Amino acid sequence: MRIPRNERLSSDSAESGPERKCILSGAHGTRDEFVRLAISPDGLVLPDALARAPGRGAWIGVSRAELEQAMAKGKLKGALARAYKGAALTIPDDLPERIEAALQRAFTDRLGLEMKSGKLLTGSDRIAEHARAGQVAWLAHARDAGEDGNRKLDQAWRVGREAEGSGLIGLTLPLDRMALSVALGRDNVVHLALTDPAAAGRLAAPLQRLLRYQGQANETGQIEGTRTADDAAPQPVTTN
């Protein structure tokens, strides 16, 4: 069955607004919460992390573990068959891994763009200086960052935001220092900060998709890097 290149599913149409429906769970959510799947010209199902690929698309709002279960039970195949009206499709066995890699790339690419624009800071001393001056809108730490370093920067951030006693701390990212260093082309990237609230907003969507897919807590405060110490319990991290 030929797949019309420019035909879109009803969930992709402008009339549907920002809300999307997960083809597996039936849950509704926004584009920022769900992941879009697209199909190549030869029918291969692939992740569309930025939701920009032409043609028909289907949305999923489940975690990687849930997707793997759906694939094992044949539920994803059935859901895609319904979404694409029986078109011949090929679901790669490593689709869950491809999705996670694409989501990580979308997030790190966004970090790279903010760095090029001068809004992303790295280096503990530099971040601490800006944080104490109230010039940090978003603070994050690598997954394997040391507790002492995190604590010092969190404290500097609270001082700069006049939020001492609030328990405000930076977000622990689902990436380690090696992954961040490679992605940003810098040595030993352990801590990150954004000086512009708008930049933090631009980063929220790709980070939200990645955290949800990994099965991590999805509270708005955590996504935006404004969680408190009470929320800081280690979250499960799915690795490739």
Side-chain angles (χ1 to χ4, degrees):
M1 177 177 180
R2 185 179 68 85
I3 302 172
R5 182 172 180 79
N6 294 318
E7 182 180 352
R8 294 183 177 270
L9 298 178
S10 58
S11 61
D12 283 339
S13 65
E15 290 77 5
S16 66
E19 190 174 80
R20 299 293 183 265
K21 182 178 179 180
C22 174
I23 62 171
L24 287 173
S25 68
H28 290 77
T30 67
R31 290 168 57 101
D32 291 350
E33 296 173 308
F34 287 2
V35 179
R36 187 177 188 264
L37 300 178
I39 49 177
S40 67
D42 57 358
L44 185 65
V45 179
L46 298 170
D48 178 21
L50 299 180
R52 294 177 181 173
R56 309 178 81 177
W59 296 81
I60 58 171
V62 297
S63 68
R64 175 171 175 168
E66 291 168 330
L67 175 61
E68 289 172 344
Q69 277 190 335
M71 289 179 65
K73 295 179 180 180
K75 291 183 179 180
L76 179 63
K77 182 178 181 180
L80 287 171
R82 291 189 295 273
Y84 288 107
K85 302 178 182 179
L89 301 173
T90 300
I91 304 174
D93 293 337
D94 63 346
L95 179 62
E97 182 177 350
R98 292 190 188 203
I99 292 174
E100 184 156 354
L103 293 176
Q104 287 187 1
R105 186 166 57 252
F107 172 62
T108 55
D109 284 352
R110 185 73 253 173
L111 284 175
L113 289 173
E114 300 303 341
M115 174 173 280
K116 289 180 180 178
S117 70
K119 296 180 174 64
L120 181 69
L121 305 176
T122 61
S124 296
D125 292 343
R126 189 179 181 207
I127 291 174
E129 179 183 353
H130 283 76
R132 292 191 193 95
Q135 298 171 348
V136 167
W138 179 90
L139 176 66
H141 313 294
R143 184 176 62 196
D144 57 347
E147 290 184 9
D148 287 345
N150 292 358
R151 190 180 303 113
K152 290 177 182 178
L153 290 180
D154 292 341
Q155 175 62 21
W157 193 32
R158 288 193 294 270
V159 170
R161 290 172 65 99
E162 298 183 353
E164 293 181 85
S166 68
L168 182 71
I169 61 176
L171 176 69
T172 298
L173 296 175
L175 300 172
D176 60 22
R177 66 183 70 195
M178 180 176 293
L180 291 171
S181 300
V182 170
L184 296 176
R186 299 288 180 91
D187 292 332
N188 198 31
V189 177
V190 183
H191 307 285
L192 300 168
L194 289 169
T195 59
D196 179 22
R202 290 190 292 269
L203 197 67
L207 180 54
Q208 179 174 357
R209 292 191 194 101
L210 177 58
L211 291 177
R212 282 178 61 93
Y213 185 69
Q214 291 182 333
Q216 300 197 50
N218 186 35
E219 299 175 10
T220 302
Q222 291 193 0
I223 290 166
E224 294 179 350
T226 57
R227 57 184 186 151
T228 65
D230 291 338
D231 301 317
Q235 300 296 333
V237 175
T238 302
T239 56
N240 289 341

